[in-house]
């Protein structure tokens, strides 16, 4: 049986109904760092991933909303290229 | 010297000015598959990554736009969790 990987880092991006953006944002912010508009990232233990998913399921409308969590073993397994201005508008000011 | 990793898979997300979304979308679509709104993903060789970056640099306005490319060795090094409806609106209809 293939050994289950122990994921400890994640990227999360969402596309949810406007009425639910604020709630989804607040749940994500409890577990991850806000990176850009609808993208969060950061260290995320397996147990916190379970909690995050449970909280998100209570907030979203399954048929209308979409959330993708990319799990990585740690932050050494990926590289990153940034074009443009990372300090641009993260959209946080949209969240009152 | 640490061995340079050979990245062959990527996630790309962007946050660009409305006037440039269509151009950025078209460039991304040449190299990656559209996944959700401002998110692309797929296999991407090192040489195609260089071409993609060069084409994007010609289109974006550095001070205003933001593009992040997460490079992975292959599509085995990450896990994926989807909540909600992946076939929801990918936003492609917004691109005329």
């Amino acid at each position: 049986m293939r050994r289950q990987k122990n994921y400890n880092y994640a990227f999360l991006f969402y596309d949810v109904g406007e009425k639910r953006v604020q709630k989804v944002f607040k749940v994500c912010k409890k577990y991850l760092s806000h990176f850009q508009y609808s993208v969060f990232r950061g260290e995320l233990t397996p147990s916190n991933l379970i909690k995050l998913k449970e909280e998100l399921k209570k907030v979203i409308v399954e048929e209308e909303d979409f959330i993708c969590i990319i799990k990585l073993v740690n932050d050494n397994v990926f590289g990153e290229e940034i074009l443009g201005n990372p300090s641009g508008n993260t959209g946080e000011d949209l969240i009152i």
Side-chain angles (χ1 to χ4, degrees), chain A:
Chain A
M1 206 186 81
R2 245 174 78 164
R3 222 163 45 85
Q4 181 72 1
K5 278 190 185 143
N6 202 1
Y7 295 113
N8 281 292
Y9 196 90
F11 284 88
L12 178 150
F13 38 88
Y14 59 75
D15 170 25
V16 301
E18 219 166 291
K19 285 174 276 169
R20 292 177 293 282
V21 166
Q22 199 165 354
K23 278 187 201 154
V24 167
F25 187 93
K26 283 184 179 158
V27 169
C28 292
K29 223 173 173 193
K30 283 168 69 176
Y31 297 92
L32 294 166
S33 318
H34 185 229
F35 181 48
Q36 262 295 331
Y37 271 104
S38 56
V39 183
F40 281 76
R41 64 186 291 176
E43 285 173 11
L44 187 69
T45 61
S47 59
N48 275 348
L49 171 61
I50 293 165
K51 285 183 210 153
L52 170 60
K53 279 167 58 186
E54 272 160 20
E55 287 191 45
L56 287 173
K57 278 180 189 162
K58 287 181 199 151
V59 170
I60 65 170
V61 172
E62 292 264 337
E63 300 73 36
E64 293 176 30
D65 297 334
F66 172 73
I67 297 176
C68 177
I69 301 170
I70 302 299
K71 310 179 296 187
L72 299 156
V73 174
N74 53 47
D75 61 2
N76 285 324
V77 296
F78 65 89
E80 198 166 336
E81 308 245 2
I82 303 276
L83 304 179
N85 177 5
S87 63
N89 186 330
T90 61
E92 284 213 43
D93 52 339
L94 302 177
I95 307 298
I96 312 126

